[in-house]
């Protein structure tokens, strides 16, 4: 009897050794990918990251266009030919009658102008020079040149609403959102990649446990056949073990398909070609947060994109109120230009002895009866501001609440992970001892199967807890835009260096 047990033990040892060597060789042929590598790759290659960068560049270009709009603008307006042939009506005072006769005219025009916005006053200053030529054909053939060698003009609204002032304030707020917005989007992309990564790790761990369960079932089954022949194991226990092995094989087939789909989803998101010969490393636990809950809430409020965007909405509403209030009673504008001009039948003479020209125009529009439209416009603008302020208060409260919950969940998940890691060691020890005791006939089959099931559950719990911790880690970074490990604010340069 002892010789039979010895032979069985040797067979089991050889089978386990062969399985271990085969699995190690197979694993060595696979390339390992870490979470840090995926996070770096998704920021560089994913379409989502590229779209965020395009949005960033568009916003930068929009701000540059705004800045360049305050640079002097030189332009040339030309109308080389304006030919007109028609029948015109003329009154003859000698005969006190109207006559109709054909007329042909040719008109040409050119103007060079330099424009400059004056942001302080909200007006436009311009310097210009123009020339026009007129010629008629027929019995009264005439030719005339009119020139303005130099002229200086200014146009301004007089009632106090300065659109350029508000434009500057709004654009300066928008440009402050550009870089943090890109960093926020990239951190959000990292969080999504982390979820996809841990989805793969969960399925991969289930698959590994399934394959290991098949190997364990094979080992125990080979030994159980001998025990059944010796009458030390019932046939029902042997059948139960075969059922467990078939269930494990079916699960492996299903999980292999799910793993391929999960990999395809991640590789599509990262914008990588599909590669089945890649394994994913299980990362270590993330570091505990070194900030207090008040610090987390403070950074979240300071760097929240939602709050900053809502502050911009408040300024836009204030702009509408200012415009509606200052345009409520009257609209007044000023157009002023001074310069020199001359006219002559000869081009050269049209620039000789120019005469001074002054143009001053003040326009006033006073609404007499508008049925309260302007008053209602002001009231509507005030309601928009009130709504924007209330919405900012709601966002502020939401950020405080979510930052607090996220901080608490992160710490709870770290504590849970630590307990699971301790339980994981005990579960593997129990599995090993129950299998060894079953082989020597000191443990029943149910205990072995329960130990295997407990190991499978605790391994999956371990992956889930790790995933929860890392997901909260990236969510906290996105919320705060602050890296507590390096004690620096997360901006575009920080994201690019990682």
């Amino acid at each position: 009897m002892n010789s039979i047990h010895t032979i069985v033990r040797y067979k089991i040892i050889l089978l386990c050794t062969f399985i271990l060597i085969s699995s190690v060789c197979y694993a060595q042929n696979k390339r390992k990918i870490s979470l840090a590598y995926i996070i770096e790759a998704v920021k560089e290659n994913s379409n989502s990251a590229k779209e965020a960068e395009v949005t960033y560049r568009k916003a930068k270009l929009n701000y540059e266009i705004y800045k360049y709009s305050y640079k002097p603008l030189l332009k040339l307006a030309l109308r080389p030919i304006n030919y007109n042939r028609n029948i015109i009506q003329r009154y003859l005072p000698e005969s006190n009658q109207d006559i109709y006769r054909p007329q042909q005219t040719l008109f040409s025009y050119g103007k060079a102008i330099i424009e400059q916005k004056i942001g302080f006053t909200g007006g436009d200053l311009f310097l210009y020079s123009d020339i026009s030529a007129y010629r008629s054909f027929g019995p009264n053939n005439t030719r005339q040149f009119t020139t303005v060698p130099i002229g200086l003009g200014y146009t301004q609204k007089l009632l106090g609403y300065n659109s350029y002032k508000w434009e500057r304030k709004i654009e300066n707020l928008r440009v402050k959102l550009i870089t943090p917005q890109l960093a926020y989007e990239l951190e959000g992309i990292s969080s999504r990649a982390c979820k996809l990564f841990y989805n793969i790790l969960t399925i991969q761990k289930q698959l590994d446990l399934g394959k290991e369960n098949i190997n364990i079932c094979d080992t125990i089954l080979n030994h159980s056949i001998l025990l059944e022949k010796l009458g030390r194991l019932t046939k029902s226990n042997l059948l139960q073990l075969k059922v467990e092995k078939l269930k494990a094989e079916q699960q492996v087939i299903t999980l292999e398909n799910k793993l391929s789909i999960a990999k395809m989803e991640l590789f599509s998101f990262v914008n990588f070609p599909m590669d089945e010969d890649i394994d994913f490393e299980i990362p270590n636990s993330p570091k505990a947060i070194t900030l207090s809950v008040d610090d987390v809430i403070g950074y979240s409020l300071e760097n929240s994109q939602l709050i900053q965007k809502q502050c911009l909405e408040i300024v836009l509403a204030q702009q509408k109120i200012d415009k509606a209030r200052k345009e409520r009673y009257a609209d007044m504008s000023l157009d002023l230009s001074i310069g020199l001009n001359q006219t002559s039948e000869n081009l050269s003479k049209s620039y000789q002895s120019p005469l001074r020209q002054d143009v001053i125009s003040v326009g006033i529009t006073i609404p007499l009866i508008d049925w309260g439209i302007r008053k209602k416009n002001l009231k509507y603008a005030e309601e928009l501001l009130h709504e924007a302020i209330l919405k900012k208060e709601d966002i502020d409260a939401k950020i405080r609440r979510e930052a607090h919950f996220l901080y608490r969940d992160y710490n709870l998940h770290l504590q849970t992970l630590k307990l699971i890691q301790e339980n994981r060691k005990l579960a593997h020890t129990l599995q090993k001892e129950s299998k060894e005791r079953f082989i020597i006939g000191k443990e029943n089959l149910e205990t072995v199967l329960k130990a295997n099931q407990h190991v499978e559950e605790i391994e999956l719990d371990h992956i889930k807890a790790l995933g929860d911790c890392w997901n909260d880690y990236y969510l906290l970074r996105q919320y705060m835009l602050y890296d507590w490990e390096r004690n620096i604010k997360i901006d575009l340069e920080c994201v690019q260096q990682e």
Side-chain angles (χ1 to χ4, degrees), residues 413-431:
H413 287 147
L414 285 176
Q415 294 174 16
T416 302
L417 178 61
K418 187 176 180 180
L419 294 174
I420 289 175
Q421 288 172 340
E422 295 176 1
N423 192 4
R424 186 166 167 248
K425 296 177 182 178
L426 296 176
H428 280 281
T429 302
L430 178 62
Q431 181 193 40

Side-chain angles (χ1 to χ4, degrees), residues 177-193:
L177 286 170
I178 296 175
T179 302
Q181 180 65 32
L182 178 58
Y184 180 85
E185 293 295 334
L186 291 178
E187 288 300 314
I189 291 170
S190 300
S191 178
R192 183 181 171 191

Side-chain angles (χ1 to χ4, degrees), residues 317-490:
Q318 290 171 342
Q319 178 201 22
K320 289 186 172 78
I321 288 178
D322 185 55
K323 188 174 187 294
R325 182 176 290 132
K326 290 178 178 177
E327 293 180 350
R328 182 178 175 185
Y329 299 107
D331 185 39
M332 182 182 297
S333 62
L334 169 68
D335 291 289
L336 170 67
S337 68
I338 58 174
L340 303 171
N341 69 342
Q342 185 57 277
T343 181
S344 175
E345 296 180 357
N346 186 281
L347 178 60
S348 61
K349 290 182 179 180
S350 66
Y351 283 95
Q352 295 176 4
S353 303
L355 303 175
R356 178 175 171 178
Q357 68 165 4
D358 300 313
V359 178
I360 299 176
S361 173
V362 176
I364 302 176
T365 303
I366 301 175
L368 299 178
I369 299 176
D370 66 354
W371 310 106
I373 293 176
R374 295 195 178 198
K375 184 178 179 180
K376 295 298 182 182
N377 285 337
L378 176 59
K379 185 66 177 176
Y380 180 74
E382 289 173 344
E383 291 298 329
L384 286 177
L385 176 61
H386 183 60
E387 180 186 26
I389 293 173
L390 290 177
K391 190 172 182 180
K392 181 182 178 296
E393 292 175 355
D394 289 341
I395 293 174
D396 187 275
K398 180 182 177 183
I399 294 296
R400 289 177 181 274
R401 183 171 60 252
E402 291 182 352
H404 183 273
F405 287 158
L406 193 57
Y407 175 85
R408 183 200 63 183
D409 289 347
Y410 183 62
N411 287 319
L412 288 176
H413 287 147
L414 285 176
Q415 294 174 16
T416 302
L417 178 61
K418 187 176 180 180
L419 294 174
I420 289 175
Q421 288 172 340
E422 295 176 1
N423 192 4
R424 186 166 167 248
K425 296 177 182 178
L426 296 176
H428 280 281
T429 302
L430 178 62
Q431 181 193 40
K432 180 180 178 182
E433 290 182 357
S434 63
K435 186 173 69 174
E436 290 175 352
R437 289 174 62 83
F438 176 77
I439 290 175
I440 61 177
K442 293 185 178 181
E443 196 65 85
N444 57 40
L445 180 61
E446 286 76 12
T447 302
V448 177
L449 295 178
K450 285 181 180 180
N452 291 341
Q453 184 180 1
H454 183 57
V455 167
E456 183 175 348
E457 291 173 353
I458 202 66
E459 286 290 347
L460 294 178
D461 288 342
H462 178 244
I463 294 295
K464 183 181 182 302
L466 262 178
D468 290 339
C469 289
W470 278 107
N471 185 50
D472 288 346
Y473 173 88
Y474 283 107
L475 283 176
L476 272 171
R477 281 172 57 97
Q478 185 186 23
Y479 249 70
M480 297 189 296
L481 285 184
Y482 187 82
D483 187 341
W484 65 84
E485 295 187 55
R486 294 188 288 174
N487 291 325
I488 58 174
K489 184 176 178 179
I490 297 175

Side-chain angles (χ1 to χ4, degrees), residues 116 144 190 235 275 285 290 369 403 406 413 427 430 454 496:
Q116 173 67 60
Q144 189 174 23
S190 300
K235 193 167 185 178
D275 190 351
S285 305
T290 55
I369 299 176
L406 193 57
H413 287 147
L430 178 62
H454 183 57
Q496 291 173 338

